[in-house]
Amino acid sequence: MSDQVFERQDFLSAIKNEEFKLAYQPQISLTTGEVVGIEALLRWEHPTKGWVSPADFIPMAEKTGAITDITKWVLKESCKQNKQWHDEGLQKAVISVNISPLDFEQNELYEVIMDTLEETGLAAHYLELEITENAVMSDISNVIYTLKKISKTGVRVAIDDFGKGNSTLVYMRDLPITTVKLDRSFMSDIPYSHKDSTIVKNIIQMCHNLDLQIIAEGVETEEVVTFLALHHCSVAQGFVFSKPMLSNDFEANITHYESKAIEMIYRLEEKV
Ligand code: C2E
Ligand code: MG
Ligand code: MG
Ligand code: MG
């Protein structure tokens, strides 16, 4: 953690001065090798401090209330970009956006999302909201109400960092979710850790039984990809395919991600 301090005004002028950028990270199908999803991750190129990490500034954006303006910007920018990629025929993936718990307290998230989809022309089922378990801690009935309204339009809802927080099963039961993103802390020791491997296998199984898409986060090695594919995890995201990239680099590398994944799938089929 850095000791940098930012005020509300710093964030608002960063939006105005176009200091925020989005980095895109592919989510790859482990059956076809295709990019089926893309997570948009916020980057801040500060005029004097250089690149500041979201882990450092998002908490301050939340504390100062600037987060709702930031979320609005991220939604617009990422939906616009995804629509453009669809129109150019580059990919047909879902764009995934991280939503803060604070975004629910303003009671305008539904309207912001509807405006964004209308303005950008992106179809609702090509947008996914990533909610962390903490999101739900505050006013659960309000979060459920808002998410149900949003998900009725076709927008997808993912639980992010699944397994890291508390009470995940209750949220899995009560929220209108389409996707579970399995926290990266489970990935580093499979297939060697019996505990991690067993937990991952069983969560994948549970997601299948509940008709939920499962995305493994923080996948760094082919060994983990192999384990996940053998246990029918449908999608993986992580450095093994790509780090998050600014849009130009993402575009330039998209076929590279897919061929890398297809090669891994071939090698896997040779093994079994
Ligand atoms: P997250 O939503 O869980 O995003 C995944 C984080 O894991 C990203 O860090 C990504 O760069 C990193 N990652 C991806 N693959 C790997 C891997 O294979 N290994 C490892 N070690 N890490 C990997 P990043 O971009 O620094 O973002 C950190 C967190 O900041 C995000 O965690 C999210 O909670 C928050 N964040 C980022 N962008 C936004 C945003 O636009 N809005 C909000 N509210 N939060 C955001
Ligand atoms: Mg996320
Ligand atoms: Mg998150
Ligand atoms: Mg995550």
Side-chain angles (χ1 to χ4, degrees):
M1 262 288 173
S2 82
D3 50 8
Q4 290 163 341
V5 176
F6 298 107
E7 311 287 341
R8 180 182 164 82
Q9 196 46 49
D10 297 321
F11 295 112
L12 301 185
S13 51
I15 296 177
K16 208 168 116 250
N17 301 333
E18 301 181 1
E19 291 162 21
F20 286 124
K21 302 273 170 336
L22 290 178
Y24 297 94
Q25 190 179 32
Q27 300 170 337
I28 305 269
S29 160
L30 297 182
T31 49
T32 66
E34 273 173 305
V35 173
V36 291
I38 301 167
E39 180 168 6
L41 292 154
L42 192 57
R43 298 291 179 261
W44 185 3
E45 192 172 19
H46 192 278
T48 57
K49 299 177 205 290
W51 291 101
V52 192
S53 152
D56 290 333
F57 71 78
I58 294 283
M60 269 175 271
E62 289 175 332
K63 217 190 286 169
T64 60
I67 190 70
T68 48
D69 292 290
I70 294 178
T71 301
K72 246 185 239 180
W73 181 85
V74 174
L75 279 164
K76 285 246 159 86
E77 184 64 24
S78 59
C79 289
K80 194 170 81 187
Q81 178 65 83
N82 202 36
K83 175 71 165 100
Q84 190 190 322
W85 281 333
H86 286 193
D87 290 347
E88 292 168 358
L90 191 76
Q91 44 82 358
K92 256 317 192 185
V94 172
I95 192 82
S96 219
V97 174
N98 291 282
I99 300 294
S100 160
L102 275 297
D103 291 321
F104 289 95
E105 287 175 16
Q106 295 297 320
N107 289 321
E108 53 169 36
L109 189 59
Y110 173 82
E111 284 75 16
V112 169
I113 287 171
M114 292 309 113
D115 287 351
T116 302
L117 294 174
E118 197 185 317
E119 232 177 83
T120 60
L122 186 73
H125 61 278
Y126 286 122
L127 172 64
E128 181 162 273
L129 309 180
E130 294 193 8
I131 318 289
T132 49
E133 296 167 82
N134 305 346
V136 198
M137 300 292 172
S138 43
D139 180 359
I140 174 125
S141 55
N142 181 39
V143 174
I144 294 176
Y145 171 79
T146 307
L147 281 180
K148 280 193 173 153
K149 207 161 130 190
I150 293 170
S151 70
K152 276 206 184 103
T153 68
V155 171
R156 303 175 60 83
V157 179
I159 297 194
D160 201 359
D161 308 335
F162 184 82
K164 197 172 137 191
N166 310 310
S167 308
T168 46
L169 297 176
V170 172
Y171 301 137
M172 202 174 204
R173 186 191 64 192
D174 294 345
L175 297 178
I177 56 167
T178 48
T179 307
V180 166
K181 295 192 75 183
L182 189 50
D183 189 62
R184 73 172 136 96
S185 60
F186 293 104
M187 297 303 141
S188 43
D189 295 328
I190 55 177
Y192 303 104
S193 153
H194 173 68
K195 274 191 189 168
D196 285 350
S197 304
T198 305
I199 290 169
V200 169
K201 272 192 270 189
N202 282 281
I203 293 177
I204 295 170
Q205 193 55 53
M206 180 166 68
C207 288
H208 282 313
N209 292 342
L210 292 171
D211 249 335
L212 298 171
Q213 184 191 41
I214 173 126
I215 301 180
E217 291 193 271
V219 178
E220 295 185 351
T221 64
E222 182 165 350
E223 210 167 24
V224 175
V225 170
T226 303
F227 177 92
L228 292 168
L230 286 175
H231 293 95
H232 311 291
C233 174
S234 44
V235 182
Q237 173 182 353
F239 295 168
V240 68
F241 298 118
S242 173
K243 295 203 163 159
M245 302 269 211
L246 297 179
S247 58
N248 284 344
D249 291 325
F250 183 88
E251 285 171 21
N253 282 291
I254 193 156
T255 51
H256 173 69
Y257 309 142
E258 296 188 331
S259 48
K260 209 165 162 181
I262 288 168
E263 281 165 25
M264 284 185 207
I265 294 168
Y266 279 147
R267 282 196 286 274
L268 172 76
E269 282 166 359
E270 278 163 13
K271 275 179 224 159
V272 291

